[in-house]
Amino acid sequence: MASSVKLGSKPDAFRRQGQAWFCTTGLPSDVTVEVGDMSFHLHKFPLLSKSAFLERLIEETSDQDECVIRLNDIPGGAKSFELVARFCYGVKIELSSENVVYLRCASEHLQMTEEIAEDNLISQSEIFLNQVIIRNWKDSLKALETCEDLLPHAENLQIVKRCIESLASKATTDPNLFGWPIREHGIMQSPGGSVLWNGISTGARPRNFSSNWWYEDASALSFHMYKRLISTMESRGIRPEIIAGSLTYYAKKYLPGLNRRHSMGAVPLTATLSEVEQKNLLEEIDRLLPVQKGLASTRVLLGLLRTAMILKASPTCISNLEKRIGMQLDHATLEDLLLPNFSYTMETLYNVECVQRILDHFLAMDQANGAASPCLDDVMASPSLAPITTVAKLIDGYLAEIAPDINLKLPKFQALASAVPEYARPLDDGLYRAIDIYLKAHSWLSEAEREQLCRLMDCQKLSLEACTHAAQNERLPLRVVVQVLFFEQLQLRTSIAGCLLVSDNLEGSRPLRSGITTSGEAGGWATAVRENQVLKVGMDNMRMRLSELEKECSTMRQEIQKLGRGKSGGWASRVPKKFNLKLKSQMCSAQEGSVSEQHKSMSAKLDKLQAKVSRQKKQLAGDA
């Protein structure tokens, strides 16, 4: 419950009839005070005994038959004067955070000083402001809200400044260390969080307050007052992330575009602003947001950018938001990056140019941070390269989403795809998928254009799975299919050699050293498969080839057993140790634990069987 104090002791003697107030003291009225469209029929003595201003006006009209005073400039209008009149008559009134600013401004205008009467209204309201209102968060906030109707009077009397300073001081202090109570969900809390009943601590369990406890309360202010509060907090050294969080909360509350599909957080929406007001608010929030990376989430920034496009915000505002998003593009999601095209031309479904600019900002920042063009091993191992590889995957996914748009011109698609550095893509499977979708949706492309598009990807950086799909893809140019077939065979040989090296090192307990890109697990092919699980095609062919190799391996095992019986016992006793398929399978499987279940059960098994068959044939030839 808000703080209050009672003034006066007499019972209420005021009665309203329509647009007029009457004092029912038994004496006829001898002065009429007109405030706007409201008339107050009062008596001269109570008014002039408290107000020097009213005393002077009454004296000026003393020679007139009827004393009529007009107070059109009194702060707060009829609402303020009614309270002042009650105070002049000694009628009971209650000072509170909702009316103290009205009374303070009105009493100043009417010159209700101590020289006129002791304990006059200026003194009473000033004491209440300083000793009660300013010391309490909720009361200071309510008083500041009422100042909106009393400008510039409240400004001139420093009431606005005092309330803002009080609020800023409390918001920048740990709420668990407060020396004043704070209301939370209607229950008065002590500094430690225990419940207060009639000013006495009940010893309830203290509750911890987070740094964002004041966001909702501050969002009730008009943006003019809110902006001044934020600026004062910044001058007091409040952390930038807290300021960014408050601005985000305020934006979500008053900008309906940020709550698309309720994905921006649970904030009660107050959509009472016009489009022009929303546009101005968004531009102001952009100016107030700290520029440091990561203070506002990428999702919120993309929501602000989408809303700015809808509201046709200034180019400067849109450019600033694009730069902010570019700084942290690696934290964006594909869904939020799909910004609709709000231009009148509707050239494409999505705003590809905007994403291109965001990507350019990210790459410029990445280059400014000293990024070079590392080798593939560095890309896979270095944590510092994780952001750009993440962005590469994001852009490949974005390309796949926009590829079906028949209005998307080839140069735009190429420009966005080629903007990603080569080293940022350990595999080109995602890019291949996007190219394949684009070719399917743009079947009218000439052979030269298809070849030009396919030059974006490196066939050597396709996984076995992608190669299998591409080798049977009729949409690809013949030259590209030939390249894919060549590199598919090359990868098969490389993967067989990789698994062979793994098996040999397991037997000899030696650390794995090979020229294939590895992470210490299952060789280059295993790493490549782990990096790509996008294309789940062509597995039927893999199953068939696996079945054939299993049959061949079974036949070889029978031949080995037959030959073993015809050779010396020493050679036969070494066969189980050298060619035990089950043991080798377990060792390779242990090294490939991070590969997906589908690939581990099919592709890895295929390569291991091929390696073992090859080794068995070599051993037989040597013994013969």
Side-chain angles (χ1 to χ4, degrees):
M1 187 174 184
S3 304
S4 62
V5 64
K6 290 180 174 60
L7 299 179
S9 58
K10 297 179 181 179
D12 193 359
F14 283 78
R15 174 173 50 87
R16 180 174 176 175
Q17 293 181 356
Q19 294 298 103
W21 279 95
F22 297 90
C23 181
T24 58
T25 59
L27 298 174
S29 171
D30 56 3
V31 62
T32 301
V33 181
E34 295 181 352
V35 184
D37 57 355
M38 188 69 71
S39 298
F40 294 84
H41 301 274
L42 306 173
H43 304 87
K44 293 179 181 179
F45 180 74
L47 299 180
L48 61 84
S49 65
K50 295 289 186 181
S51 168
F53 184 78
L54 291 176
E55 181 182 15
R56 186 170 62 254
L57 292 179
I58 290 172
E59 288 178 357
E60 292 174 357
T61 59
S62 60
D63 57 345
Q64 299 178 8
D65 296 335
E66 185 178 358
C67 184
V68 178
I69 298 174
R70 291 178 177 83
L71 294 177
N72 294 323
D73 296 331
I74 185 171
K79 177 180 179 181
S80 293
F81 187 75
E82 179 201 339
L83 293 170
V84 169
R86 291 174 182 272
F87 175 82
C88 291
Y89 278 83
V91 173
K92 290 180 183 178
I93 62 172
E94 189 174 278
L95 278 179
S96 68
S97 59
E98 297 179 352
N99 63 25
V100 66
V101 182
Y102 286 93
L103 286 168
R104 177 65 184 90
C105 294
S107 63
E108 185 72 21
H109 180 79
L110 297 175
Q111 300 172 12
M112 303 176 72
T113 63
E114 293 297 293
E115 287 78 9
I116 301 298
E118 189 178 354
D119 293 332
N120 212 344
L121 189 53
I122 288 180
S123 174
Q124 295 279 22
S125 56
E126 189 68 26
I127 291 173
F128 184 70
L129 266 172
N130 291 329
Q131 296 187 359
V132 179
I133 298 299
I134 301 303
R135 295 185 178 184
N136 186 283
W137 168 268
K138 287 288 186 181
D139 290 335
S140 297
L141 191 72
K142 186 60 182 177
L144 184 58
E145 288 183 64
T146 62
C147 288
E148 287 284 350
D149 300 329
L150 297 162
L151 297 175
H153 307 283
E155 195 75 70
N156 296 334
L157 294 172
Q158 303 289 308
I159 300 175
V160 174
K161 181 180 179 181
R162 282 183 282 171
C163 288
I164 287 177
E165 289 285 347
S166 171
L167 292 172
S169 175
K170 292 172 176 58
T172 54
T173 305
D174 185 354
N176 297 296
L177 303 176
F178 287 155
W180 43 270
I182 177 174
R183 281 178 58 83
E184 180 69 17
H185 305 298
I187 301 175
M188 192 69 76
Q189 300 288 330
S190 74
S194 57
V195 178
L196 294 177
W197 180 84
N198 198 24
I200 302 173
S201 174
T202 62
R205 182 179 180 180
R207 55 189 301 175
N208 292 324
F209 291 86
S210 62
S211 58
N212 64 354
W213 63 268
W214 54 273
Y215 287 2
E216 182 178 356
D217 288 341
S219 69
L221 296 171
S222 68
F223 190 74
H224 170 71
M225 292 296 184
Y226 173 79
K227 181 179 177 181
R228 289 187 57 179
L229 175 61
I230 292 297
S231 299
T232 305
M233 289 181 181
E234 286 183 315
S235 67
R236 288 176 169 268
I238 194 170
R239 298 199 306 273
E241 58 268 26
I242 298 178
I243 294 293
S246 177
L247 287 165
T248 298
Y249 191 98
Y250 198 96
K252 291 177 183 179
K253 186 171 182 177
Y254 293 101
L255 298 175
L258 286 182
N259 293 277
R260 183 176 67 102
R261 292 193 297 276
H262 305 285
S263 61
M264 307 304 296
V267 176
L269 184 62
T270 308
T272 58
L273 304 180
S274 65
E275 286 193 7
V276 175
E277 290 173 327
Q278 290 183 46
K279 171 179 169 293
N280 295 334
L281 172 62
L282 194 151
E283 292 174 352
E284 287 286 343
I285 287 176
D286 170 63
R287 282 191 283 268
L288 288 174
L289 269 175
V291 295
Q292 292 95 323
K293 174 183 177 181
L295 296 184
S297 71
T298 311
R299 168 165 288 188
V300 168
L301 292 175
L302 282 163
L304 286 171
L305 179 59
R306 184 188 304 107
T307 307
M309 292 175 177
I310 295 173
L311 298 174
K312 298 180 176 58
S314 67
T316 302
C317 174
I318 291 177
S319 177
N320 288 341
L321 289 171
E322 288 175 351
K323 290 177 182 177
R324 292 178 188 274
I325 297 166
M327 292 172 64
Q328 51 195 66
L329 183 58
D330 51 310
H331 295 289
T333 63
L334 178 57
E335 179 186 9
D336 294 319
L337 202 62
L338 294 171
L339 300 168
N341 197 339
F342 297 106
S343 65
Y344 293 112
T345 58
M346 289 298 292
E347 187 177 339
T348 55
L349 181 61
Y350 296 108
N351 197 330
V352 183
E353 293 88 350
C354 177
V355 174
Q356 178 80 62
R357 291 192 296 269
I358 292 173
L359 177 60
D360 290 341
H361 290 312
F362 174 83
L363 295 175
M365 183 196 67
D366 186 69
Q367 187 175 7
N369 290 338
S373 298
C375 64
L376 186 60
D377 290 344
D378 295 334
V379 173
M380 301 295 290
S382 174
S384 63
L385 294 170
I388 197 166
T389 55
T390 300
V391 168
K393 291 179 182 179
L394 178 67
I395 295 300
D396 289 346
Y398 181 80
L399 289 168
E401 288 293 328
I402 66 174
D405 187 355
I406 60 174
N407 292 323
L408 179 61
K409 304 301 181 185
L410 181 59
K412 281 189 178 182
F413 186 91
Q414 288 178 301
L416 186 58
S418 61
V420 178
E422 259 188 65
Y423 68 86
R425 291 188 179 105
L427 288 176
D428 275 6
D429 287 19
L431 181 57
Y432 164 65
R433 176 172 175 264
I435 291 173
D436 184 41
I437 295 173
Y438 189 87
L439 289 173
K440 184 177 181 180
H442 301 76
S443 56
W444 57 84
L445 290 178
S446 64
E447 188 72 12
E449 289 175 324
R450 290 171 180 267
E451 289 193 5
Q452 182 183 2
L453 180 61
C454 290
R455 289 194 192 102
L456 292 171
M457 64 178 179
D458 185 353
C459 295
Q460 297 185 67
K461 291 166 69 175
L462 294 179
S463 67
L464 277 173
E465 190 179 19
C467 285
T468 302
H469 183 275
Q472 305 172 36
N473 193 341
E474 297 178 355
R475 290 184 287 272
L476 296 179
L478 181 59
R479 182 186 63 82
V480 177
V481 173
V482 172
Q483 286 183 350
V484 168
L485 287 170
F486 172 77
F487 290 117
E488 181 187 22
Q489 293 301 315
L490 188 61
Q491 285 200 53
L492 281 171
R493 295 178 183 179
T494 304
S495 62
I496 290 171
C499 189
L500 182 60
L501 287 172
V502 170
S503 298
D504 289 344
N505 280 279
L506 285 172
E507 286 179 354
S509 299
R510 299 189 307 270
L512 177 61
R513 304 291 297 175
S514 73
I516 307 170
T517 302
T518 70
S519 58
E521 293 187 4
W525 180 82
T527 304
V529 172
R530 185 176 64 254
E531 284 298 313
N532 174 67
Q533 293 184 7
V534 178
L535 295 173
K536 300 297 183 181
V537 294
M539 294 307 297
D540 289 338
N541 290 336
M542 297 289 280
R543 293 190 186 96
M544 292 174 61
R545 291 159 65 187
L546 176 61
S547 178
E548 292 172 0
L549 282 171
E550 284 178 335
K551 291 179 182 178
E552 183 179 352
C553 186
S554 177
T555 302
M556 286 297 301
R557 185 182 296 159
Q558 294 175 4
E559 292 177 0
I560 291 170
Q561 291 174 353
K562 291 178 182 179
L563 289 172
R565 286 193 290 268
K567 296 284 182 178
S568 64
W571 182 88
S573 63
R574 291 197 303 270
V575 171
K577 297 179 182 178
K578 297 288 287 183
F579 302 104
N580 190 317
L581 295 180
K582 182 176 180 182
L583 177 60
K584 294 289 184 67
S585 176
Q586 290 175 347
M587 289 189 294
C588 287
S589 298
Q591 293 296 311
E592 295 176 353
S594 63
V595 184
S596 67
E597 290 300 322
Q598 191 176 23
H599 289 84
K600 185 167 64 177
S601 63
M602 298 178 184
S603 302
K605 188 174 181 180
L606 164 64
D607 290 350
K608 288 186 291 184
L609 286 170
Q610 286 179 323
K612 291 173 177 58
V613 169
S614 177
R615 291 181 59 193
Q616 290 167 357
K617 287 182 179 180
K618 289 180 182 179
Q619 288 287 349
L620 286 173
D623 290 338

